[in-house]
Amino acid sequence: KQEVTQIPAALSVPEGENLVLNCSFTDSAIYNLQWFRQDPGKGLTSLLLIQSSQREQTSGRLNASLDKSSGRSTLYIAASQPGDSATYLCAVITGGFKTIFGAGTRLFVKA
Amino acid sequence: EAQVTQNPRYLITVTGKKLTVTCSQNMNHEYMSWYRQDPGLGLRQIYYSMNVEVTDKGDVPEGYKVSRKEKRNFPLILESPSPNQTSLYFCASSLTAGGPYNEQFFGPGTRLTVL
């Protein structure tokens, strides 16, 4: 059974710092991996989607990588800002088209 | 505007009273899905649908029903709600399940309380 783990569970950094969020999954038979952002009490906003055949995707200050063979993805946030404070979630779509989410990393960026 | 809509956004009900939460998307997406989010348990998939008349169970389907009679709509039905179904529910859709067009877009959520 596919399991998705995110480390760390919470992170507090000063403004301007570059940071890395980690996502690992137990079964490499995935179609894609997607990173989301969720603000308190709000819905999910899609940040980046990486297909299983891709190694990385970039959008602005965000860069996500995928190493399917080792079951890992990282989300790199450059020059963090207070507005980046949110919970970051990763999700994989499995070979059976189920979607499995990690528990998330709560990020707080201090001004 | 391309979007996923859910109704109602908030609902308080009593045990055993059947309810339906609607989900609609205007993007001609094939894949639709329902999730529940609970503190400490994260987001868990309830049911998903690959296309019209094609549905399958996610990780937590007990106590829920779905139907997909039209491409744009994917209602979630609780025939006899119980307090343990109190949760925040999200609907999502993507163009396809596999392939390069499977970025999922989420609705705003429905907060359900079952007394």
Side-chain angles (χ1 to χ4, degrees):
Chain A
K1 181 184 175 184
Q2 178 76 267
E3 292 182 2
V4 180
T5 303
Q6 291 188 245
I7 294 173
L11 184 61
S12 180
V13 300
E15 182 177 7
E17 192 159 301
N18 301 325
L19 56 99
V20 174
L21 307 181
N22 296 291
C23 173
S24 61
F25 46 95
T26 55
D27 186 347
S28 62
I30 64 171
Y31 274 104
N32 67 28
L33 186 144
Q34 192 168 355
W35 283 94
F36 296 89
R37 162 190 179 132
Q38 186 176 29
D39 295 286
K42 304 287 188 181
L44 278 72
T45 300
S46 176
L47 296 174
L48 288 164
L49 172 73
I50 312 179
Q51 299 297 328
S52 61
S53 58
Q54 296 175 320
R55 298 284 293 180
E56 66 178 308
Q57 283 284 351
T58 298
S59 176
R61 294 184 294 110
L62 305 179
N63 175 276
S65 67
L66 175 64
D67 183 344
K68 212 173 73 158
S69 61
S70 67
R72 292 181 184 180
S73 176
T74 61
L75 179 67
Y76 175 82
I77 303 177
S80 58
Q81 303 170 358
D84 295 330
S85 299
T87 296
Y88 291 80
L89 298 157
C90 69
V92 300
I93 287 201
T94 70
F97 300 110
K98 284 187 177 181
T99 303
I100 310 294
F101 274 86
T105 294
R106 280 183 296 157
L107 173 65
F108 179 64
V109 181
K110 298 171 285 189
Chain B
E1 180 189 354
Q3 59 183 346
V4 179
T5 56
Q6 295 179 226
N7 282 293
R9 294 289 313 281
Y10 302 91
L11 179 60
I12 300 174
T13 190
V14 296
T15 298
K17 185 176 181 182
K18 181 179 178 179
L19 66 92
T20 299
V21 184
T22 64
C23 173
S24 183
Q25 48 89 9
N26 61 1
M27 297 170 278
N28 200 36
H29 283 176
E30 292 183 350
Y31 185 85
M32 297 186 74
S33 186
W34 276 103
Y35 302 89
R36 61 178 288 174
Q37 186 173 34
D38 302 288
L41 296 175
L43 272 151
R44 295 175 293 168
Q45 191 174 42
I46 304 170
Y47 271 95
Y48 62 98
S49 170
M50 302 285 287
N51 212 325
V52 176
E53 302 291 3
V54 181
T55 62
D56 209 344
K57 297 177 181 178
D59 282 343
V60 287
E62 297 79 17
Y64 304 94
K65 284 177 57 176
V66 292
S67 68
R68 187 93 181 272
K69 293 185 170 54
E70 305 167 283
K71 201 170 188 178
R72 64 182 294 130
N73 296 322
F74 190 43
L76 180 70
I77 303 159
L78 286 71
E79 297 226 324
S80 184
S82 62
N84 64 12
Q85 293 178 298
T86 292
S87 187
L88 179 59
Y89 291 86
F90 288 103
C91 180
S93 72
S94 63
L95 189 58
T96 62
Y101 306 110
N102 50 11
E103 181 178 10
Q104 287 193 58
F105 298 93
F106 277 69
T110 295
R111 189 167 293 280
L112 172 65
T113 301
V114 184
L115 302 175

